[in-house]
């Protein structure tokens, strides 16, 4: 029997035992993001509960349900085409970095300026409106970028995000409340890394959450109050119960266009961020054995984000990092669709408010740390050994961006800033703030370009290295790398430096002594690398 006939008759299994693990793992990931997002809306933006629970969350639930169902469908098609039952659907949901960016950079300043949270919400809608179209258009360009970019660059910059912005916060939360955090982390590790099976096949994620709740509520009985939960908080949560379906918000979208100038400054660079992040995540899935079409993924993110925006959701949808983690714990097709149903229930019935009151967030943090661990490891495990230095190079801009974010937050609470303190004073105590600011600007693209240059040099492909360095010069000149905003001649000196490096690499291709070495493989290059003296 031919392969085509076999696969045409093949019917993939929609739900497998491992889907329970992935459902509770990914579901709790989504739950954490929903809890954080709801907290931002209510306590940072001071939005009224009728807007949060009556308009924004229902629209967000619709968007994420459409997304998770679509990626379950793509997984089904891939499984059917390949005749495999081990295909894992891409995880997706609210883009976490954008959740904070649109809140603090777009919605909060406009809310404070106008003293009207509705106008802040409208500005957020317009931001997503433009982001959606950037994603849809970029979806047709992304496959070509992915084809010419070394895997070490795509996965290396993804590892940088996972180590800093994905892993560090949950790790710190765990150590702030270690009785819950470390206990739940151990419960997850012995199962997902150690292969230990809990009785009756109970998913490790559910065991961890149950243990966290037991410790948190039990500690209240002896006055320790681990996790910050209370009976009063549970009672207050019931006031937000009700059934709310998403309603069109076209008029609010168009009202937000008055802030277009402010919005475009961040919409364009973060639209490019989305393109690169989605490419990285598709590359990560392919490294894990599941090749998905990049154009369809990006277009789908743009379309569902646009639908969510037009219904009142000011947060963009994105394919999540973490496919290897969910696949490793047994996730296949069904977990994605199940999470979509869960999100509808949580957001349309106001249950998220109750969840905020009964589950300690620190019990969920270890799951995010675990996912960050796997993503960081994958960058090294699925690329040539010789490219390891390039991966480390990709991490550095993300470390700089994370350090600057932490520093800015601390200085802001103290009522000051780096400029007010003076760069010289900071430098005297070892804090090179201008360096953090420059290197951390546009960290996703910066990490990708640096790692691509590094991997190309390791392979002695100097013409390719020159092309990536030249791309770095152009991106830097217009502020997509090493800048806080898009513009012309944003960092001209740094752009010139990249251009000089590009010229140097290109000149090396004509150096006679290097000509025979241009065919050297990555691992051979590593063997002949000269250590620093």
């Amino acid at each position: 029997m031919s392969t085509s006939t076999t696969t045409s008759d093949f019917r993939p299994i929609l739900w497998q035992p491992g889907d329970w693990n992935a459902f509770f793992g990914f579901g709790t990931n989504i739950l954490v993001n929903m809890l954080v997002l709801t907290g931002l809306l209510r306590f940072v933006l001071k939005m009224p509960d009728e807007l949060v629970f009556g308009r924004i969350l229902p629209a967000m639930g619709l968007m994420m349900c459409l997304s998770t169902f679509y990626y379950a469908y793509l997984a089904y098609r891939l499984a059917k085409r390949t005749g495999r039952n081990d295909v894992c659907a891409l995880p997706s949901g609210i883009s976490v970095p954008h959740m904070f960016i649109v809140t603090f950079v777009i919605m909060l300043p406009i809310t404070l300026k106008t003293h009207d949270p509705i106008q802040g919400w409208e500005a957020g809608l317009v931001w997503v409106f433009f982001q959606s179209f950037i994603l849809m258009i970029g979806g047709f360009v992304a496959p070509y970028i992915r084809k010419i970019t070394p895997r070490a660059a795509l996965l290396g910059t993804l590892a940088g995000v996972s180590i800093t912005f994905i892993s560090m916060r949950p790790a710190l939360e765990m150590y702030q409340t270690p009785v819950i955090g470390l206990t739940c982390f151990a419960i997850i590790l012995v199962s997902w890394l150690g292969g230990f099976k809990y009785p009756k096949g109970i998913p490790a994620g559910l065991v961890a959450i149950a243990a966290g709740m037991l410790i948190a509520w039990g500690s209240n009985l002896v006055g320790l109050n681990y996790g910050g939960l209370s009976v009063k908080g549970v009672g207050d949560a019931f006031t937000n119960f009700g059934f709310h379906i998403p309603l069109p918000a076209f008029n609010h979208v168009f009202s937000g266009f008055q802030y277009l100038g402010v919005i475009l400054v961040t919409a364009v660079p973060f639209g490019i961020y989305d393109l690169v992040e989605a490419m990285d995540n598709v590359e990560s899935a392919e490294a894990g054995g599941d090749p998905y079409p990049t154009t369809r993924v990006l277009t789908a993110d743009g379309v569902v984000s646009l639908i969510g925006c037009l219904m009142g959701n000011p947060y963009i949808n994105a394919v999540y990092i973490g496919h290897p983690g969910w696949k490793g714990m047994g996730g296949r097709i069904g977990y994605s669709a199940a999470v979509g149903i869960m999100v509808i229930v949580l957001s349309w019935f106001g249950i998220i408010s109750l969840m905020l009151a009964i589950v300690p967030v620190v019990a969920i943090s270890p799951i995010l740390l675990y996912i960050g661990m796997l993503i960081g490891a994958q960058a090294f495990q699925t690329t040539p050994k010789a490219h390891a230095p390039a991966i480390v190079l990709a991490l550095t801009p993300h470390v700089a961006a994370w350090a600057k974010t932490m520093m800015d937050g601390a200085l802001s609470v103290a009522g000051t800033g780096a400029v007010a303190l003076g760069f010289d004073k900071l430098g005297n105590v070892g804090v090179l703030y201008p360096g953090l600011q420059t290197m951390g600007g546009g960290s996703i693209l910066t990490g990708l370009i640096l790692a691509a240059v590094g991997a190309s040099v390791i392979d002695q492909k100097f013409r390719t290295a020159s092309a990536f360095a030249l791309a770095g010069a152009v991106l830097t000149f217009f502020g997509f790398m090493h800048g806080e905003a898009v513009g012309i001649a944003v960092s001209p000196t740094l752009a010139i430096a990249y251009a000089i490096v590009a010229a140097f690499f290109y000149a090396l291709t004509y150096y006679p002594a290097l000509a025979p070495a241009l065919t050297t493989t990555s691992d051979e290059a590593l063997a002949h690398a000269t250590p620093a003296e």
Side-chain angles (χ1 to χ4, degrees):
M1 185 178 290
S2 67
T3 302
S4 59
T5 304
T6 302
T7 54
S8 65
D9 294 338
F10 179 71
R11 293 291 180 269
I13 300 172
L14 296 180
W15 187 270
Q16 300 187 49
D19 279 312
W20 283 111
N21 275 328
F23 169 71
F24 283 107
F26 183 52
T28 51
N29 187 348
I30 291 293
L31 174 61
V32 169
N33 293 338
M34 292 177 70
L35 295 175
V36 172
L37 181 148
T38 305
L40 291 174
L41 292 171
R42 298 177 72 195
F43 307 122
V44 175
L45 297 173
K46 308 296 183 184
M47 289 188 175
D49 282 353
E50 57 267 25
L51 176 61
V52 174
F53 295 103
R55 298 297 305 272
I56 296 176
L57 288 181
M60 181 202 66
L62 173 65
M63 180 191 76
M64 288 204 288
C65 183
L66 291 174
S67 174
T68 52
F69 269 69
Y70 179 73
Y71 288 123
Y73 167 72
L74 278 188
Y76 178 85
R77 285 192 51 170
L78 177 60
K80 183 172 174 56
R81 188 175 74 249
T82 58
R84 294 162 42 211
N85 266 320
D86 66 342
V87 173
C88 178
L90 288 168
S92 65
I94 293 291
S95 172
V96 177
H98 286 44
M99 180 168 71
F100 293 99
I101 293 297
V102 73
T103 296
F104 289 102
V105 178
I106 300 296
M107 298 168 73
L108 182 59
I110 291 174
T111 298
L112 294 174
K113 181 180 179 180
T114 62
H115 303 289
D116 183 2
I118 300 298
Q119 292 194 44
W121 171 50
E122 291 172 344
L125 295 177
V126 174
W127 195 78
V128 174
F129 183 85
F130 278 94
Q131 289 276 76
S132 302
F133 282 101
I134 292 171
L135 277 174
M136 285 186 273
I137 295 169
F140 295 94
V141 180
Y144 300 101
I145 299 174
R146 184 174 166 225
K147 185 176 180 180
I148 64 174
T149 306
R151 175 170 284 186
L154 292 170
L155 297 186
T157 197
L158 191 61
V161 175
S162 73
I163 291 170
T164 53
F165 291 99
I166 302 298
S167 299
M168 285 304 296
R169 182 182 178 89
L172 297 175
E173 288 174 343
M174 284 165 47
Y175 277 89
Q176 285 188 159
T177 314
V179 174
I180 297 177
L182 288 180
T183 301
C184 294
F185 190 48
I187 290 170
I188 287 169
L189 279 186
V190 297
S191 177
W192 292 348
L193 283 185
F196 178 80
K197 303 296 182 183
Y198 288 104
K200 308 291 185 181
I202 301 175
L206 181 59
V207 175
I209 291 175
M213 292 175 63
L214 183 64
I215 295 171
W217 287 105
S219 70
N220 286 359
L221 299 177
V222 293
L224 295 175
N225 196 29
Y226 294 138
L229 305 179
S230 68
V231 175
K232 181 181 183 302
V234 175
D236 293 342
F238 282 98
T239 61
N240 292 310
F241 266 34
F243 180 67
H244 303 280
I245 60 172
L247 300 171
F250 304 145
N251 57 327
H252 291 289
V253 174
F254 292 117
S255 294
F257 270 78
Q258 61 182 303
Y259 303 109
L260 189 58
V262 176
I263 290 166
L264 285 180
V265 172
T266 56
V268 174
F270 276 96
I272 294 175
Y273 169 103
D274 280 333
L275 292 177
V276 176
E277 185 181 41
M279 284 192 299
D280 289 348
N281 295 333
V282 172
E283 183 72 18
S284 177
E286 184 165 329
D290 297 335
Y292 286 103
T294 308
T295 299
R296 282 195 178 186
V297 169
L298 286 166
T299 304
D301 277 348
V303 170
V304 297
S305 294
L306 181 61
I307 293 172
C309 159
L310 294 175
M311 302 303 284
N313 170 47
Y315 297 100
I316 200 161
N317 187 81
V319 168
Y320 276 6
I321 59 178
H323 171 276
W326 308 128
K327 184 168 185 174
M329 65 178 69
R332 297 298 180 253
I333 298 172
Y335 90 96
S336 180
V339 168
I341 296 172
M342 178 200 81
V343 169
I344 286 288
V345 173
L346 291 175
S347 59
W348 287 20
F349 290 89
I351 298 175
I352 194 69
S353 177
L354 180 62
M355 299 301 293
L356 275 167
I358 65 173
V359 178
V361 174
V362 68
I364 305 171
S365 297
I367 296 173
L368 302 182
L369 177 57
Y370 169 80
I371 294 300
M373 290 164 51
L374 286 193
I375 295 163
Q378 187 194 46
F380 292 95
Q381 293 167 341
T382 62
T383 55
K385 282 191 209 177
H387 287 176
I391 294 171
V392 175
L393 187 59
L395 305 181
T396 55
H398 301 283
V399 175
W402 182 79
K404 179 182 177 294
T405 301
M406 295 297 101
M407 189 179 303
D408 287 344
L411 293 176
S412 176
V413 171
T416 185
V419 175
L421 285 177
F423 296 154
D424 290 340
K425 289 182 179 179
L426 290 172
N428 289 336
V429 294
V431 179
L432 304 180
Y433 188 88
L436 293 175
Q437 188 175 41
T438 300
M439 192 170 193
S443 57
I444 285 281
L445 285 172
T446 303
L448 185 145
I449 291 294
L450 290 178
V453 169
S456 299
V457 168
I458 290 168
D459 292 341
Q460 295 189 355
K461 296 178 179 178
F462 294 108
R463 188 172 281 107
T464 303
S466 174
F468 277 112
L470 185 60
V474 175
L475 291 169
T476 299
F477 185 82
F478 291 105
F480 294 110
M481 284 171 49
H482 304 296
E484 299 294 324
V486 174
I488 298 176
V490 174
S491 303
T493 304
L494 191 52
I496 291 171
Y498 273 109
I500 293 171
V501 170
F504 170 64
F505 288 146
Y506 190 76
L508 288 178
T509 63
Y510 292 96
Y511 191 64
L514 287 172
L518 293 178
T519 57
T520 302
T521 65
S522 296
D523 291 331
E524 289 171 346
L526 179 64
H528 293 93
T530 304
E533 297 179 359

